Amino acid sequence: MGLVCLVQLLVTALLLATSRAIPSLAPRDSLKQTISNALHHAKQDVGQIKDQVDGALQNASHYLGSKVDLYFNESKESIQSWARQWDDVDSNAYAPRPVPCPSTPPRIREATQLSPQETAWVQQRRAQTIAPLTALLTRINIPDFPTAAYLASLAHTSSAFPTIGIAASGGGYRAMLTGAGAIKAFDQRTTDHASALGGLLQSATYIAGLSGGSWLLGSIFINNFTDISSLQQSATLWDLTHSLLDGPKQTDPFLYWVDLIHSANKKRDADPSFHISFTDIWARGLSWQLINATQGGLGITWSSLTQQEWFTEASAPLPLIVIDARDEGQTATAGVSTVFEVTPWELGSFDHSLAGFAPLAYLGSKFSGGEVSSQSCWQGFDNAGFIMGTSSSLFNSFAAKLSTLRLPAIVQKPAMAFLQSILTDLGEAHDDVAIYSPNPFRDWKPATNQHLNAEMLTLVDGGEDGQNLPLLPLLHEQRQVDVIFAIDSSSNTNGYPNGSTLSYTQARARGPNGDMVHFPVVPEPSAIVERGLNTHPNFFGCYESGPIPLVVWLPNANYSYPSNIGTFTLHMSTEERDGMIQNGYDAVTQESGQRDSSWPVCVGCAILLRSFNETQTPVPAACQSCFEQYCWTDTIAA
């Protein structure tokens, strides 16, 4: 960060604390009141902002001495440049907007089955998976097995034709980049480093992500189902050399922060029922880095995915984002937390504690008893960055990491005080969650709805309940997923996964909310580490019957790069980024077969195992060898 930018950050801190143009306020009220007063009208009154900057710079002269004069004019020019940018952009775009309600008013849907939209779309999607899956398995060529003829016989039998799911875990950039390497290997569009598994992505019906995994899904799907190579080559996206706290390299950090706060305040000002938290600011930061649109796509929503070409043609898997509910003062736990999922159509949960879904495009509307309670509806609440930010809202820990910023000593203390004051103030106000207000589920199903009396629905990072792999949506019996490729980038043992997320999901499946999900038996984390199972792929559920999917666990490990970076790593070099992606690629391909030349065949066998069971097809000898090598059983544990 250049000295000019640091001076501007100091100026902002001084504006909040010492500027003679702003009255002194009580510490707790100072942050929110000052942001509201000084920034809300910035576009309309550039002159006033300039005067405040001038005054703050003069007040700072005793601290910075002659250095202020060197950058005085440049600071004024930056403010004016920022105002000109807002002339070309709708600064209200992040805020929800009132719209006429449709002729059939939006309602809460009971979660007794999949939505009609998903049911119809998946039928279309499954027809689209036949050709790529046939091409993939034919290329893999399971020895002594007529793959093409077998799949042709199943093409019109939906229950026996394999349904594939992919899950990308949380874990910040570690998860995003490791997952990116896996998706790059699974994508038939990858030409710079083609994989024997290319086409698995095009063969999948569902893909789920949470936290860092949601950043991966957002980067791919919001950007019109782009590919990983394009993200790596982009001039604007995935430039991790600049921290989310600094903003993109082409953007002044001071102006970047003004944009984040100003956009969030626009949402709060749109209607008294809209409450903002730091998630709104975090969401805008994510959007700048992950969405290829002007100012990070201020008005792009998650529900707008339904308008993209890949979606209307069902040419890619359906993205699902996982989020946890956490009431004020409570801690999310795997057994009792209400687990939410976000589809392009809905937000809600199959859990008995809620068992309902709200129409995603109409979040922000005032629902009561399951119906919109006024003539006016709202749209735009489901901002794409806000959805990704909700699934990754680890702000208490994030706040603790601010002290690690490497700033010159001259501005370290005031700059850190400014940033920390935002997070501390919001945390003390219990705003370290994503606030969905008004709560769409208020007064709905009062006998079972745990959230009926809450004005605000408070949602948090999808991994806070210990289930850092977003498996639950893929385990729901009505989705009929046969095999799940679970990319686990959790940080448990020396920064690598130990399988504890699998144990949490196993406990969940055996609990009161587990009657509609089915999960195989998995070993304890201690056994996984002791036997080195976290250093290579494993198949769980090989010999179980019923609607239990096979789980292909793909743990992050050091194949070609030390990929155990910290969850709160905020920046890295392009070489480090690409090394992480390559390691993820190597993990799911077993270093392009160098560690195990039979690995592609074993992946093909995993895809077909449940189909073999249903059609009572004898398991090919090559598959039997694969299962002996990769399948875990209780006998192995003993």
Side-chain angles (χ1 to χ4, degrees):
M1 184 188 291
L3 182 56
V4 172
C5 303
L6 291 170
V7 169
Q8 291 169 340
L9 191 58
L10 170 62
V11 167
T12 305
L14 291 168
L15 277 171
L16 297 178
T18 66
S19 175
R20 289 172 294 186
I22 300 177
S24 177
L25 299 173
R28 180 169 178 79
D29 297 330
S30 177
L31 173 66
K32 294 179 179 177
Q33 187 65 47
T34 302
I35 288 173
S36 177
N37 292 342
L39 296 179
H40 178 58
H41 299 294
K43 177 183 174 184
Q44 294 78 12
D45 196 353
V46 175
Q48 179 183 357
I49 295 294
K50 181 183 76 64
D51 291 342
Q52 291 181 351
V53 170
D54 292 352
L57 282 167
Q58 292 169 5
N59 288 342
S61 61
H62 72 280
Y63 186 78
L64 295 177
S66 61
K67 290 185 176 64
V68 171
D69 294 331
L70 296 176
Y71 305 103
F72 186 76
N73 290 331
E74 205 163 340
S75 295
K76 291 190 291 186
E77 292 171 2
S78 294
I79 290 289
Q80 293 165 350
S81 172
W82 167 77
R84 287 193 296 270
Q85 291 178 34
W86 277 97
D87 286 337
D88 300 325
V89 178
D90 180 7
S91 61
N92 291 300
Y94 179 76
R97 63 192 183 280
V99 297
C101 290
S103 56
T104 301
R107 290 183 173 87
I108 303 301
R109 180 182 67 85
E110 288 207 44
T112 55
Q113 56 189 1
L114 300 179
S115 71
Q117 298 97 322
E118 180 176 343
T119 300
W121 189 91
V122 166
Q123 184 176 2
Q124 181 185 3
R125 173 61 190 154
R126 283 177 172 158
Q128 295 288 339
T129 66
I130 295 173
L133 184 55
T134 300
L136 170 64
L137 294 179
T138 300
R139 187 175 68 251
I140 285 174
N141 190 25
I142 298 173
D144 301 319
F145 183 73
T147 300
Y150 178 77
L151 291 175
S153 69
L154 302 178
H156 301 291
T157 308
S158 61
S159 61
F161 195 88
T163 298
I164 299 172
I166 300 172
S169 80
Y173 285 152
R174 182 185 63 252
M176 183 180 82
L177 298 175
T178 300
I183 296 302
K184 188 172 185 177
F186 294 162
D187 193 343
Q188 66 186 17
R189 298 171 297 177
T190 300
T191 57
D192 57 338
H193 195 171
S195 159
L197 303 183
L200 196 153
L201 176 64
Q202 284 73 18
S203 303
T205 301
Y206 294 101
I207 183 169
L210 65 79
S211 200
S214 76
W215 305 349
L216 173 63
L217 267 61
S219 298
I220 295 171
F221 290 97
I222 291 296
N223 294 311
N224 200 25
F225 189 50
T226 192
D227 60 274
I228 301 302
S229 296
S230 295
L231 291 169
Q232 290 178 265
Q233 296 163 12
S234 171
T236 56
L237 300 177
W238 283 24
D239 177 11
L240 308 187
T241 60
H242 287 245
S243 166
L244 279 173
L245 296 179
D246 297 341
K249 63 182 178 183
Q250 68 272 23
T251 303
D252 186 294
F254 169 72
L255 307 181
Y256 168 76
W257 273 90
V258 169
D259 168 69
L260 304 191
I261 299 170
H262 184 64
S263 300
N265 278 338
K266 285 289 186 180
K267 175 180 177 179
R268 182 181 59 187
D269 295 343
D271 189 84
S273 64
F274 298 152
H275 299 274
I276 66 169
S277 69
F278 198 84
T279 301
D280 292 279
I281 301 173
W282 176 243
R284 290 293 301 125
L286 288 173
S287 296
W288 273 93
Q289 191 170 82
L290 305 180
I291 298 178
N292 186 25
T294 303
Q295 292 196 259
L298 274 166
I300 294 178
T301 60
W302 198 260
S303 58
S304 70
L305 289 175
T306 60
Q307 302 168 21
Q308 295 191 13
E309 182 179 1
W310 67 265
F311 189 91
T312 58
E313 295 179 353
S315 58
L318 184 69
L320 307 169
I321 302 297
V322 173
I323 298 168
D324 288 340
R326 193 190 76 195
D327 291 341
E328 184 176 319
Q330 293 185 341
T331 301
T333 57
V336 298
S337 298
T338 302
V339 177
F340 279 68
E341 61 180 57
V342 182
T343 74
W345 304 285
E346 298 179 311
L347 174 142
S349 177
F350 285 104
D351 289 356
H352 297 309
S353 53
L354 183 64
F357 285 86
L360 189 65
Y362 289 100
L363 292 181
S365 303
K366 295 176 175 61
F367 287 82
S368 178
E371 297 183 355
V372 173
S373 57
S374 67
Q375 297 299 315
S376 177
C377 290
W378 289 80
Q379 289 189 326
F381 195 100
D382 62 314
N383 178 273
F386 187 62
I387 297 297
M388 292 186 284
T390 301
S391 188
S392 58
S393 60
L394 289 173
F395 296 117
N396 288 335
S397 299
F398 179 72
K401 297 296 177 180
L402 287 176
S403 61
T404 65
L405 280 176
R406 299 175 183 177
L407 303 179
I410 194 170
V411 292
Q412 174 79 27
K413 185 174 181 179
M416 289 305 305
F418 168 60
L419 295 176
Q420 192 69 52
S421 68
I422 294 177
L423 295 172
T424 300
D425 183 77
L426 292 172
E428 289 175 355
H430 306 290
D431 288 340
D432 59 330
V433 296
I435 298 176
Y436 286 67
S437 172
N439 178 5
F441 302 104
R442 190 167 191 180
D443 296 327
W444 182 71
K445 294 182 65 176
T448 57
N449 182 5
Q450 295 180 352
H451 307 283
L452 77 158
N453 291 321
E455 175 190 355
M456 301 181 293
L457 177 66
T458 51
L459 304 179
V460 297
D461 189 294
E464 283 202 18
D465 62 354
Q467 298 182 90
N468 199 41
L469 268 168
L471 295 173
L472 277 186
L474 305 177
L475 300 175
H476 195 281
E477 60 186 12
Q478 292 194 17
R479 290 196 166 116
Q480 300 178 343
V481 175
D482 296 303
V483 56
I484 302 170
F485 289 86
I487 309 159
D488 191 356
S489 304
S490 303
S491 177
N492 306 124
T493 303
N494 299 321
Y496 292 106
N498 65 3
S500 60
T501 179
L502 301 173
S503 294
Y504 278 111
T505 300
Q506 178 177 256
R508 177 80 180 202
R510 295 176 177 178
N513 283 305
D515 55 330
M516 291 187 293
V517 299
H518 306 279
F519 192 68
V521 176
V522 295
E524 292 293 325
S526 58
I528 287 177
V529 174
E530 180 182 347
R531 296 176 179 274
L533 301 182
N534 58 336
T535 62
H536 59 75
N538 298 267
F539 298 168
F540 297 119
C542 293
Y543 306 111
E544 299 191 46
S545 58
I548 299 175
L550 180 72
V551 176
V552 178
W553 186 49
L554 301 167
N556 177 35
N558 186 346
Y559 283 82
S560 55
Y561 191 86
S563 54
N564 57 337
I565 65 171
T567 299
F568 294 98
T569 297
L570 295 177
H571 61 87
M572 66 184 70
S573 70
T574 299
E575 292 73 18
E576 291 172 314
R577 180 201 70 181
D578 292 346
M580 292 285 297
I581 293 174
Q582 182 61 47
N583 190 77
Y585 181 103
D586 291 337
V588 303
T589 63
Q590 292 299 282
E591 293 187 270
S592 298
Q594 294 182 36
R595 291 202 178 192
D596 180 7
S597 60
S598 67
W599 173 244
V601 169
C602 293
V603 169
C605 294
I607 291 172
L608 291 174
L609 178 57
R610 290 296 183 257
S611 180
F612 290 157
N613 294 343
E614 182 166 343
T615 60
Q616 299 183 341
T617 299
V619 176
C623 292
Q624 293 178 3
S625 297
C626 286
F627 298 150
E628 290 173 2
Q629 180 177 357
Y630 289 104
C631 289
W632 177 86
T633 66
D634 289 319
T635 303
I636 294 176

